Amino acid sequence: MDPGIQHIHHLQRILAIEKKADLTTWQEKVRRMSGDDRVRHGLTWKPVQVIKSGFAMGDKAFVTLQRPVHHRHDSQFKAGSPVTFFTEAAMARRNRISGVVHYASEQRMQVILNTEDLPDWLDLGPLGVDLEFDNRSYTEMEKALARALEAKGTALAAFCQILSGERQPVFGTAPDLAYPETLNHAQANAVRGILAADELALVHGPPGTGKTTTLVAAVRELVIRERTVLVCAASNTATDVLAERLAAQGLQVVRIGHISRVDERLLDLTLDGQVAAHPDSREIKKVKIKAAQARKKAGTYKRTFDAEARADRRDGYKEARELMDWARHLETRLVEQILDGAQVICTTLTGAAHSLLNKRRFSTLIVDEAAQALEPAVWIPLAKVSRLILAGDPHQLPPTVKSSEAARAGLNMTLMERLLPTLAHVHLLTTQYRMHPAIMAFSNRWFYQDQLLSAEGLEKNQLPIRDPRPVLFIDTAGCGFEEKVNPETKSRYNPDEYVLITCHLELLRQDLVEKEWPEIAILSPYREQVEYIEEEIQKDEHYADLPIRVQTIDGFQGQEMDVVILSLVRSNSRTEIGFLQDYRRMNVAMTRAQRQLVVIGDSATIGNDAFYAQFLDHCQETGAWKSAWEYVNG
């Protein structure tokens, strides 16, 4: 069998395993629950009250819902979640409407409904919202792989050969750059490599090396040569970052995606936002209002419903349909006009399957954070392009794979991770601009074979305090600071490590009197520890006005702060380290800090592991090690 076809069949098999495991887990969880259990576990909000309704961008109906104050159960709803809005009123004809969460807080939620009209049962009876299984990404990945199998004599068929390792990609001559002045040597080489690639190029961007800067520069060069560039990322957050940076360069950017999944700051860049801001949209709005009025008039209740009334109703509905057809025609023409004028279209990998992009073709696809994307997801936009640029870092967080069987079969191996050691041309960005050289040192040695250099002047980037050491390891070995387990969530936390965090914050407070307080992130791989710290900090008035953010490591990827305090949590006599075994997660955590990294952990628990043994040796060699007893007692 052809290697490319064989590879696609393998992806189909392991994707099916993952989908089945994901769906089965969801169904089993939901099936075991009564309606009250769903409410208690945050999968259903019921009853809810509609406090506002109307029409969002794109003329989709929305409802803003509020649940009772005494319902303070954990909510699983978040922006982008697929949901069903329903009524339990017996007289409602269509009692369930699908939608997507726009935003959700503890007590309120806004849902963008997949309909142009508000349901007529808003006032008829008890209302609720159910969280649904999100199947869309699987469907689009399945379609993409099926297209790849059928490809013959096309760019997609060529990708099957290259991405399966059957042959190396072709490169041409690297052109001169129009905008070389903002780039360092490695970045400029990466941009030239992108322009020289006929089919595929890889940009390896370790933490702080200006990967986004490089991609923005590449897009600026590409739009000189091409009509429109397609830019994708695995997550909405990464897509938004690129869209914002590209727009800041004066490029005409259109962000494709459901507005519920787009950062509010970028609404003006969305297709819906640009349609709404266009002068022609006023005329479209008027036509839609007339259609709604005609539909409402036609449906008005009449006591005597004779032949004349029946004809009036028929004519009214006909008028409403004709008006809506005209409005859609005008809107389609406006949308095409906006897309035709775009220099860059930004969307997630799944969003590239949007119907508006079905007939559009692009020369170049750039995939950012490619090392976080499942390989089948990268295939979704590949049928639209002839050149693929992958950018990311396989030494940071990988995609989430829920099935251990699928992971063992290779689904956790991203396309970028697989190609990196096999390609003849890979562009490594080598100068980091984020962190003090001492913070970079261990990560550079373990993950990047000491290939990274620090930009000039970063060695001066220290806190103005008595002990400005950029790296500290506070060792709790022998202190009895053992981890605890939440019996419900099975997640771990360590209250004693929080005590050490407050000790460090207090030392900072003493030294920074009348000086600018740094931005601080407190990170942990364990959700339970994050929640514990958040609760404790909120109780303490000392921290109320300070710029402190508490987050899981996974939730903090792609961000940076002046100071990062990392709570490892694990402390037990069995030397079990759990999540800490994922070194890529630790690489993310250890490379978020700009001026100071503080790691709190138990050397007796983590020291048997090779990665942590070397980290502890590094801390002792550089004078970064400190006993927790010494720390607490000053």
Side-chain angles (χ1 to χ4, degrees):
M1 184 184 292
D2 180 270
I5 299 300
Q6 189 173 356
H7 179 63
I8 297 299
H9 279 310
H10 175 67
L11 291 177
Q12 286 180 320
R13 286 194 295 273
I14 58 180
L15 182 63
I17 293 169
E18 173 74 358
K19 178 182 178 181
K20 182 179 179 181
D22 197 5
L23 179 58
T24 300
T25 300
W26 169 266
Q27 289 175 334
E28 289 178 351
K29 180 171 72 173
V30 172
R31 189 182 298 121
R32 290 194 301 266
M33 295 182 183
S34 65
D36 289 341
D37 285 338
R38 283 184 60 99
V39 171
R40 195 159 42 249
H41 286 84
L43 300 174
T44 295
W45 279 22
K46 188 183 74 169
V48 293
Q49 177 186 0
V50 178
I51 58 175
K52 187 177 181 181
S53 62
F55 298 90
M57 292 181 183
D59 293 314
K60 293 289 188 182
F62 77 82
V63 286
T64 303
L65 310 171
Q66 182 171 286
R67 61 176 176 172
V69 176
H70 63 276
H71 283 196
R72 295 192 176 275
H73 314 294
D74 288 342
S75 177
Q76 305 298 316
F77 294 83
K78 58 185 179 181
S81 297
V83 297
T84 299
F85 179 47
F86 65 88
T87 179
E88 294 180 337
M91 62 188 75
R93 285 176 296 175
R94 183 190 174 198
N95 63 352
R96 301 180 73 85
I97 296 177
S98 65
V100 178
V101 175
H102 186 197
Y103 69 79
S105 61
E106 187 176 353
Q107 299 300 133
R108 291 189 178 184
M109 179 196 312
Q110 186 174 93
V111 177
I112 310 293
L113 300 173
N114 293 328
T115 176
E116 295 177 346
D117 295 314
L118 289 163
D120 55 10
W121 37 258
L122 289 183
D123 300 319
L124 290 184
L127 304 173
V129 189
D130 281 337
L131 186 66
E132 301 294 345
F133 179 73
D134 194 350
N135 191 50
R136 181 171 175 251
S137 61
Y138 288 112
T139 300
E140 298 303 339
M141 287 188 283
E142 290 165 349
K143 289 179 181 177
L145 295 176
R147 281 194 300 269
L149 284 178
E150 297 169 1
K152 297 286 188 295
T154 63
L156 186 58
F159 282 131
C160 288
Q161 295 176 334
I162 297 165
L163 301 184
S164 66
E166 187 176 347
R167 70 172 175 86
Q168 287 282 319
V170 175
F171 283 83
T173 303
D176 292 333
L177 303 183
Y179 307 101
E181 65 279 356
T182 59
L183 304 174
N184 64 40
H185 180 72
Q187 291 170 338
N189 278 344
V191 175
R192 290 190 192 96
I194 288 171
L195 298 177
D198 288 343
E199 298 160 315
L200 173 69
L202 258 66
V203 178
H204 182 186
T209 55
K211 173 174 58 65
T212 302
T213 297
T214 304
L215 295 182
V216 169
V219 173
R220 290 179 71 193
E221 298 286 342
L222 288 166
V223 297
I224 298 172
R225 300 161 172 82
E226 302 172 10
R227 181 176 178 180
T228 309
V229 178
L230 180 61
V231 174
C232 296
S235 68
N236 282 289
T237 300
T239 305
D240 288 343
V241 167
L242 265 176
E244 187 172 29
R245 290 283 296 274
L246 289 164
Q249 291 294 318
L251 298 175
Q252 185 59 42
V253 177
V254 177
R255 170 71 163 93
I256 299 286
H258 200 293
I259 62 170
S260 65
R261 297 180 171 96
V262 178
D263 191 299
E264 288 188 4
R265 294 179 295 109
L266 303 182
L267 289 181
D268 289 345
L269 298 181
T270 64
L271 181 60
D272 288 335
Q274 294 186 44
V275 167
H278 198 281
D280 291 355
S281 68
R282 296 178 184 174
E283 181 61 29
I284 298 171
K285 193 83 169 179
K286 289 178 183 177
V287 176
K288 288 186 175 182
I289 290 172
K290 288 181 180 178
Q293 289 171 341
R295 190 163 52 244
K296 184 177 181 180
K297 182 179 178 182
T300 301
Y301 171 76
K302 294 184 178 181
R303 189 173 180 181
T304 56
F305 195 68
D306 53 18
E308 182 180 355
R310 190 175 292 108
D312 287 345
R313 175 169 290 185
R314 184 177 60 249
D315 291 343
Y317 280 132
K318 180 182 178 184
E319 179 186 3
R321 283 195 302 272
E322 290 173 347
L323 286 168
M324 279 305 300
D325 287 344
W326 177 238
R328 290 191 185 98
H329 170 74
L330 294 175
E331 194 166 51
T332 298
R333 191 170 66 183
L334 177 55
V335 165
E336 293 299 317
Q337 179 183 333
I338 291 171
L339 292 177
D340 286 344
Q343 293 174 292
V344 189
I345 291 178
C346 292
T347 184
T348 61
L349 291 166
T350 303
H354 199 292
S355 59
L356 291 172
L357 301 180
N358 279 349
K359 297 179 181 179
R360 293 187 174 267
R361 294 295 178 267
F362 309 86
S363 293
T364 304
L365 163 66
I366 292 178
V367 179
D368 192 16
E369 302 296 359
Q372 291 183 50
L374 292 175
E375 181 174 343
V378 179
W379 287 86
I380 294 173
L382 276 186
K384 304 178 187 299
V385 302
S386 55
R387 172 166 51 185
L388 169 64
I389 312 302
L390 297 174
D393 179 14
H395 300 306
Q396 296 187 58
L397 282 173
T400 300
V401 177
K402 299 177 181 177
S403 164
S404 56
E405 181 184 356
R408 287 193 300 271
L411 190 60
N412 63 345
M413 172 77 75
T414 66
L415 180 59
M416 183 166 191
E417 188 177 1
R418 187 165 56 76
L419 291 175
L420 204 58
T422 67
L423 293 183
H425 297 89
V426 173
H427 303 284
L428 174 69
L429 305 181
T430 54
T431 302
Q432 73 86 14
Y433 297 88
R434 173 185 298 162
M435 66 202 95
H436 189 284
I439 299 174
M440 177 190 76
F442 177 73
S443 176
N444 190 19
R445 182 196 305 174
W446 181 274
F447 294 102
Y448 307 107
Q449 294 75 53
D450 284 325
Q451 296 180 83
L452 305 187
L453 304 171
S454 289
E456 187 177 348
L458 283 179
E459 68 280 356
K460 301 176 184 177
N461 194 18
Q462 293 180 293
L463 294 174
I465 57 179
R466 284 171 291 176
D467 183 0
R469 280 181 288 179
V471 177
L472 282 174
F473 178 75
I474 304 174
D475 192 355
T476 67
C479 297
F481 290 2
E482 291 210 352
E483 67 194 60
K484 301 182 185 303
V485 180
N486 183 317
E488 292 186 7
T489 65
K490 306 303 181 186
S491 183
R492 287 168 165 77
Y493 65 109
N494 195 317
D496 294 310
E497 288 192 3
Y498 173 67
V499 173
L500 294 172
I501 291 171
T502 60
C503 288
H504 190 73
L505 293 176
E506 190 55 38
L507 288 174
L508 291 179
R509 183 193 298 280
Q510 292 170 12
D511 286 357
L512 291 171
V513 175
E514 298 183 358
K515 295 178 183 177
E516 184 179 356
W517 186 266
E519 290 187 319
I520 296 176
I522 302 173
L523 306 181
S524 178
Y526 289 93
R527 165 61 60 184
E528 194 68 30
Q529 180 75 340
V530 168
E531 293 180 356
Y532 175 82
I533 293 171
E534 282 181 328
E535 289 178 8
E536 292 301 311
I537 280 184
Q538 288 171 6
K539 294 176 189 175
D540 196 326
E541 59 184 20
H542 287 94
Y543 308 124
D545 300 322
L546 297 179
I548 298 175
R549 183 171 176 189
V550 187
Q551 183 61 282
T552 60
I553 298 170
D554 296 43
F556 202 71
Q557 176 151 307
Q559 302 174 66
E560 57 193 52
M561 289 281 187
D562 293 314
V563 178
V564 168
I565 304 174
L566 174 59
S567 172
L568 297 182
V569 174
R570 300 311 297 262
S571 179
N572 57 74
S573 59
R574 303 174 302 281
T575 67
E576 294 175 353
I577 62 173
F579 282 157
L580 303 188
Q581 292 178 83
D582 190 337
Y583 306 151
R584 291 173 294 187
R585 181 175 279 113
M586 289 302 108
N587 188 35
V588 170
M590 292 176 176
T591 56
R592 300 305 99 191
Q594 297 170 308
R595 303 166 75 182
Q596 187 178 58
L597 169 68
V598 180
V599 181
I600 302 173
D602 181 350
S603 64
T605 298
I606 66 175
N608 287 336
D609 178 271
F611 173 84
Y612 294 100
Q614 285 206 24
F615 175 66
L616 293 171
D617 288 345
H618 173 79
C619 289
Q620 289 190 322
E621 291 166 7
T622 58
W625 183 89
K626 202 166 189 178
S627 165
W629 286 125
E630 174 192 356
Y631 205 72
V632 172
N633 297 323

